[in-house]
């Protein structure tokens, strides 16, 4: 995965000004492939809706990805006849590739896209982008699975959509409700950091974008939509589902090993006085305690299972040491990411080394408890051993949390200034070379 994003965290979100010196506030991208019949009615209907209802400047960009029919000619004609319409052509297929290309070139502060069939009711467009304009949210998505959404589609597509979202929740811990609805928006400053991390160029692009944004702590706003299925859709369900499952595996593996610098997408709190750090009050203590307890409970179960397996073939001291070592490595990694919010590979080996020191303290406590039990009872039962080990682990848990918080994962927010962010107006990373674009009507007028 590409990780060459600008260094430093994102600045605090701000309300976008209505006066942008003639630049559009919103750029709505319509990715198309062989849509010569539907393209013109779609663009004219969308343009009419925006001209009547949208209070800011806007642009509609047609992103043609390798159409083989007359779609390029239709797009060019629309771009020349309507001031707010532009057209790009790419010589390679892929909805994700088309969106990445146009969003990377766009100068609008809010970027959106929708499918050419306009299955989503356009009255949801302003509610979709309003939280991004106001500075409240980073991304916004239309949801067909919200309670107040009204959806007309066949049972097969309904089942596939819900099953896919259940897979995302179970495998990637996704909390957003609808990954594949073709109705989304993102702030440009977020897109500049996030797009280089997104590897997929096809239909999984949306899901990967949302999962990484959510894991980075960005705010995703969901809008219930009215949606009518397009019976003439050209999406191949089986091949798309296969590619999506491959994408789920790839993204899950990257997140598990900390291969992505998601810390560069972190945002500070706003200017609300209630968000300011108070002197003498530990930040995030309650949340860290909950996370530590959850990780600790799971680690204890893993430890007890491993101990029981090892105890069947070896003595109690060896079984305890092996089970505690393996569970300690997993416990440190889980607490690093989930409890203390440390992302990326920076200092990962150091954290594991410090975690092993903490492990040594736990080993001394539990091994000492076993030695004392053996000296007192001679040949204790397996149940008695487990009881003593649980008590010793509970005692070690309190000390482990204190050491993790104060020594292994201390709060580093005040250690110094963050690395400088990319200068305003800098080109987005990995922008496609202009030679890949067959025509650009923006410069053709």
């Amino acid at each position: 995965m590409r990780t060459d994003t600008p260094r430093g965290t994102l600045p605090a979100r701000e309300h976008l000004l209505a006066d942008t010196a003639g630049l559009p506030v919103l750029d709505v991208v319509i990715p198309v492939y062989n849509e010569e019949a539907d393209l013109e009615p779609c663009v004219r209907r969308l343009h009419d809706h925006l001209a009547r209802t949208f209070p800011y400047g806007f642009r509609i960009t047609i992103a043609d990805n390798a159409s083989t029919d007359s779609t390029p000619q239709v797009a060019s004609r629309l771009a020349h006849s309507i001031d707010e319409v532009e057209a790009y052509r790419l010589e390679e297929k892929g909805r994700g590739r088309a969106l990445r290309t146009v969003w990377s070139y766009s100068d609008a502060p809010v970027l959106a896209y929708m499918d050419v069939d306009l299955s989503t009711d356009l009255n949801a467009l302003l509610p979709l982008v309003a939280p991004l304009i106001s500075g409240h949210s980073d991304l916004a998505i239309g949801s067909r699975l919200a309670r107040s959404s009204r959806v007309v589609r066949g049972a097969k597509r309904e089942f596939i959509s819900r099953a896919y979202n259940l897979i995302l929740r179970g495998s990637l811990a996704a909390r957003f409700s609808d990954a594949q609805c073709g109705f989304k928006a993102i702030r440009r400053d977020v897109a500049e950091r996030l797009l280089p991390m997104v590897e997929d160029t096809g239909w999984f692009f949306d899901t990967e974008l949302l999962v990484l944004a959510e894991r980075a702590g960005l705010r995703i706003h969901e809008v219930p939509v009215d949606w009518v299925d397009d019976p003439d859709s050209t999406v191949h369900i089986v091949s798309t589902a296969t590619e999506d499952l491959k994408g789920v595996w790839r993204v899950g593996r990257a997140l598990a090993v900390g291969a992505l610098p998601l810390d560069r997408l972190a945002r500070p709190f706003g200017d609300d006085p209630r968000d300011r750090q108070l002197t003498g009050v530990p930040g995030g203590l309650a949340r860290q305690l909950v996370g530590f307890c959850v990780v600790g409970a799971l680690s204890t179960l893993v430890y007890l299972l491993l101990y029981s397996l090892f105890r069947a073939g070896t003595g109690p001291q060896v079984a305890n040491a092996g089970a505690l070592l393996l569970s300690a490595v997993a416990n440190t990694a889980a607490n690093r990411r989930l409890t203390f919010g440390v992302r990326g590979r920076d200092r990962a080996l150091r954290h594991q080394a410090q975690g092993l020191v903490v492990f040594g303290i736990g080993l001394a406590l539990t091994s000492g408890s076993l030695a004392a039990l053996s000296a007192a009872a001679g040949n204790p039962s397996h149940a008695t051993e487990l009881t003593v080990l649980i008590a010793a682990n509970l005692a070690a848990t309190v000390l482990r949390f204190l050491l993790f918080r104060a020594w292994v994962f201390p709060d580093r927010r005040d250690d110094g200034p963050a690395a400088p962010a990319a200068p305003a107006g800098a080109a987005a990373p990995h922008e496609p070379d202009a030679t890949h674009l067959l025509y650009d009507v923006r410069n053709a007028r």
Side-chain angles (χ1 to χ4, degrees):
M1 287 190 175
R2 293 180 294 274
T3 58
D4 52 338
T5 59
R7 302 196 66 86
T9 58
L10 283 164
R13 289 183 297 265
E14 295 182 355
H15 194 297
L16 299 175
L17 300 179
D19 183 10
T20 55
L23 295 176
V25 171
L26 172 67
D27 191 349
V28 182
V29 180
I30 303 176
V32 292
Y33 173 73
N34 288 349
E35 297 288 355
E36 58 184 3
D38 294 336
L39 180 56
E40 183 165 357
C42 161
V43 171
R44 293 194 179 277
R45 179 182 163 196
L46 175 59
H47 180 269
D48 177 69
H49 176 83
L50 288 171
R52 287 186 296 104
T53 65
F54 194 68
Y56 296 87
F58 66 88
R59 177 193 300 135
I60 300 172
T61 303
I62 303 167
D64 171 32
N65 46 128
S67 292
T68 57
D69 61 3
S70 62
T71 297
Q73 290 72 33
V74 176
S76 181
R77 185 171 65 250
L78 288 167
H80 280 91
S81 61
I82 305 175
D83 289 340
E84 292 82 9
V85 176
E86 295 184 355
Y88 283 129
R89 175 173 172 82
L90 292 85
E91 295 300 339
E92 294 181 87
K93 288 182 62 177
R95 181 179 68 172
R97 179 180 287 107
L99 291 175
R100 186 204 313 277
T101 300
V102 176
W103 282 355
S104 296
Y105 273 94
S106 181
D107 53 6
V110 176
L111 311 169
Y113 95 89
M114 62 179 59
D115 292 334
V116 69
D117 55 20
L118 295 187
S119 294
T120 305
D121 182 10
L122 292 177
N123 287 325
L125 182 55
L126 183 55
L128 181 80
V129 301
L132 309 187
I133 295 174
S134 70
H136 175 270
S137 301
D138 298 292
L139 299 91
I141 64 173
S143 175
R144 299 164 295 184
L145 302 180
R147 292 192 173 209
S148 57
S149 298
R150 295 186 296 179
V151 177
V152 178
R153 62 176 166 181
K156 181 173 73 171
R157 286 184 177 272
E158 179 76 12
F159 172 78
I160 292 173
S161 179
R162 292 187 179 274
Y164 180 64
N165 282 282
L166 285 176
I167 290 173
L168 294 180
R169 289 175 179 270
S171 60
L172 298 178
R175 296 189 298 272
F176 47 84
S177 65
D178 192 350
Q180 290 287 21
C181 180
F183 195 70
K184 295 183 175 69
I186 185 172
R187 286 176 64 104
R188 188 182 63 183
D189 57 347
V190 176
E192 289 175 347
R193 303 289 187 96
L194 189 52
L195 289 180
M197 300 185 196
V198 180
E199 183 174 315
D200 191 80
T201 59
W203 291 95
F204 188 70
F205 175 88
D206 302 50
T207 301
E208 188 170 356
L209 187 82
L210 292 173
V211 169
L212 298 186
E214 188 175 75
R215 288 298 187 94
L218 298 179
R219 181 174 293 158
I220 302 174
H221 179 74
E222 296 199 18
V223 178
V225 297
D226 298 340
W227 193 86
V228 179
D229 190 18
D230 177 14
D232 298 323
S233 174
T234 59
V235 177
H236 300 288
I237 295 178
V238 175
S239 60
T240 300
T242 301
E243 293 302 316
D244 285 347
L245 292 177
K246 291 179 180 178
V248 168
W249 167 256
R250 173 176 53 78
V251 172
R253 182 177 56 186
L255 292 172
V257 301
L260 295 167
L262 297 180
D263 55 316
R264 301 181 193 175
L265 293 169
R267 281 202 188 272
F269 285 121
D271 57 1
D272 190 324
R274 292 171 297 180
D275 291 334
R276 297 172 185 167
Q277 188 173 6
L278 301 178
T279 303
V281 179
L285 177 59
R287 181 190 59 78
Q288 290 177 355
L289 278 173
V290 171
F292 183 81
C293 289
V294 171
V295 172
L298 295 176
S299 298
T300 300
L301 292 177
V302 171
Y303 164 77
L304 293 176
L305 176 61
L306 291 173
Y307 178 82
S308 297
L309 291 175
F310 294 161
R311 186 65 177 88
T314 187
Q317 294 288 1
V318 175
N320 173 62
L324 196 57
L325 175 61
L326 293 178
S327 61
V329 171
N331 181 279
T332 300
N335 275 307
R336 181 178 188 269
R337 173 63 182 86
L338 301 176
T339 303
F340 298 96
V342 180
R343 301 180 177 90
R345 297 179 177 178
D346 186 30
R347 299 193 300 274
L349 291 178
R350 175 183 174 182
H351 291 158
Q352 281 293 348
Q354 291 173 309
L356 289 177
V357 174
V358 178
F359 151 76
I361 296 174
L363 178 62
L365 286 173
T366 53
S367 297
S369 299
L370 284 174
L373 176 64
S374 179
N379 188 23
S381 66
H382 182 63
T384 303
E385 284 182 356
L386 289 180
T387 302
V388 171
L389 285 173
I390 291 173
N393 270 285
L394 288 176
T397 296
V398 176
L399 182 59
R400 186 183 305 123
F401 176 75
L402 295 176
L403 289 174
F404 272 178
R405 182 177 172 83
W407 179 50
V408 184
F409 308 111
D411 190 348
R412 298 179 178 273
R413 287 177 294 181
D414 299 325
D415 283 0
H430 278 277
E431 288 184 352
D433 189 85
T435 58
H436 293 165
L437 304 176
L438 185 60
Y439 61 84
D440 178 358
V441 178
R442 178 184 305 171
N443 297 322
R445 292 197 180 102

